[in-house]
Amino acid sequence: MGKKMLSRGKEVLIKSILQSIPTYAMSCFRIPKSICEEIEKECAKFWWGVENGKRKMHWRSWDFLCKPKARGGLGFRIMEEFNRALLANEFWLLLRNPSSLASQVLKGRYFRHGYIMDAGISNNPSFIWRSLICSRGILEKGVIWRVGNEQSIKIFEDSWVPSLTSKIGTTNEAWQRNVRVASLIENGVWNTALLRNHFNPFIEEEIINIPLPA
């Protein structure tokens, strides 16, 4: 019973203190991989313990201990992935709140006449901006446009059809890559004739099922 309670205490200390201390810094900056690995190494040493000044045997790899408890692990954090998740969350907040002070400051510096999802690193960027850009790929895998201001959505460059896991293509090479969704709409409804000419039947049906704002 005593060993079980001790292990439980170590688990709480690792999760609530050792792995929580760098949370604030990780939500702003991309921490070097070597530092993340060093934090994990110290957590593993604390978990398995030290005897007579020497590390005890590590009976399981750290990757295994980071698995969810339902899969046999202990649910510890992989610090590099945790860092990227925190930065992606900050990027999401900027994306959802373009009128916030932080969004306005970054827009004025890095994408004054563009969109945050298309913004580049720019010249002499801050460490914060470089860190945020590194996390953008996580959002690109799951974020899609909601058709409202169709003037902003690029048909072939943006993800905007909910049922598709990738961006759509076209059989018409003459179409410009930056053509907007607005060109597919006529008098407030989808132009079915145009959709039929440029997309296969499956994509055509999926687009037609996307509701348009009144």
Side-chain angles (χ1 to χ4, degrees):
M1 182 66 178
K3 289 184 177 180
K4 184 176 181 180
M5 292 298 294
L6 180 60
S7 296
R8 175 59 180 166
K10 284 187 174 183
E11 178 186 345
V12 172
L13 286 173
I14 290 174
K15 291 180 177 179
S16 62
I17 298 178
L18 295 180
Q19 292 194 324
S20 295
I21 289 175
T23 297
Y24 179 77
M26 285 186 166
S27 65
C28 301
F29 309 106
R30 185 181 184 188
I31 307 301
K33 183 176 181 179
S34 59
I35 294 180
C36 292
E37 291 177 344
E38 190 64 30
I39 294 173
E40 293 173 352
K41 186 184 299 183
E42 293 301 317
C43 290
K45 286 167 60 176
F46 177 74
W47 173 255
W48 294 111
V50 178
E51 188 174 9
N52 297 325
K54 295 183 179 180
R55 292 188 306 169
K56 290 185 177 180
M57 177 71 72
H58 291 203
W59 295 101
R60 286 287 190 174
S61 69
W62 183 253
D63 287 342
F64 181 86
L65 296 180
C66 290
K67 290 182 178 181
K69 289 188 176 182
R71 296 172 55 189
L74 291 170
F76 293 140
R77 293 167 177 162
I78 298 176
M79 299 308 291
E80 186 178 17
E81 294 182 1
F82 180 58
N83 187 191
R84 292 186 64 200
L86 289 174
L87 289 171
N89 182 66
E90 294 300 319
F91 197 100
W92 172 247
L93 293 176
L94 295 172
L95 182 64
R96 288 291 305 274
N97 301 284
S99 61
S100 67
L101 178 59
S103 295
Q104 292 297 313
V105 170
L106 292 173
K107 182 177 179 64
R109 174 67 175 83
Y110 299 109
F111 53 100
R112 183 173 301 176
H113 304 294
Y115 176 53
I116 190 171
M117 293 297 286
D118 300 324
I121 294 293
S122 187
N123 295 323
N124 194 26
S126 68
F127 188 27
I128 290 179
W129 179 247
R130 285 188 282 119
S131 298
L132 290 171
I133 286 294
C134 289
S135 70
R136 183 170 57 186
I138 298 176
L139 296 180
E140 288 176 339
K141 295 178 181 180
V143 172
I144 68 169
W145 282 86
R146 177 181 296 174
V147 178
N149 180 10
E150 60 277 359
Q151 296 286 349
S152 301
I153 308 174
K154 299 176 184 178
I155 296 176
F156 307 113
E157 299 296 328
D158 297 323
S159 297
W160 56 281
V161 182
S163 58
L164 299 183
T165 57
S166 60
K167 298 172 184 178
I168 63 177
T170 177
T171 58
N172 190 336
E173 297 295 334
W175 267 34
Q176 296 180 1
R177 301 303 297 177
N178 63 349
V179 65
R180 310 288 172 161
V181 171
S183 62
L184 303 176
I185 300 172
E186 185 176 2
N187 297 325
V189 297
W190 294 108
N191 187 328
T192 54
L194 191 60
L195 293 176
R196 191 174 301 112
N197 289 336
H198 291 285
F199 306 104
N200 64 49
F202 171 77
I203 294 179
E204 176 192 353
E205 183 178 355
E206 294 301 313
I207 293 176
I208 291 174
N209 289 333
I210 298 176
L212 293 174

